[in-house]
Amino acid sequence: MTRHPPDDHLNELIEQAIVDAYDDDDEQLSGLHVVIGDNLAVPFETTVLGLPLPGSPPGGAEWIHTFRRWAKVRA
């Protein structure tokens, strides 16, 4: 199982991603989309209906954790 980055690190990444966004969910989501697209190494394998995962997470996977934290905090 992959370790998740600490919450304080994820909070720093959230701030980095949404620095130019107003307090608007759509603008913040757009900022996160851009940094994920810029940083996530693709293609990568994942588990779908029991198909195997790669041995290690793809480069930039911390941005997926960052998005999930942002979405949880916004909910």
Side-chain angles (χ1 to χ4, degrees):
M1 184 169 195
T2 307
R3 287 193 159 182
H4 293 228
D7 287 346
D8 58 339
H9 178 65
L10 295 177
N11 291 339
E12 290 173 13
L13 293 176
I14 290 169
E15 288 302 316
Q16 182 180 338
I18 66 171
V19 67
D20 293 329
Y22 292 102
D23 190 24
D24 176 275
D25 285 350
D26 291 333
E27 287 191 22
Q28 292 180 8
L29 182 58
S30 179
L32 285 159
H33 181 268
V34 169
V35 296
I36 290 170
D38 288 348
N39 292 287
L40 185 62
V42 290
F44 61 88
E45 293 182 25
T46 188
T47 298
V48 177
L49 300 175
L51 297 177
L53 282 171
S56 61
E62 66 184 355
W63 286 105
I64 294 173
H65 294 295
T66 300
F67 169 76
R68 294 178 69 199
R69 174 141 179 89
W70 173 85
K72 182 179 178 181
V73 170
R74 301 301 286 183

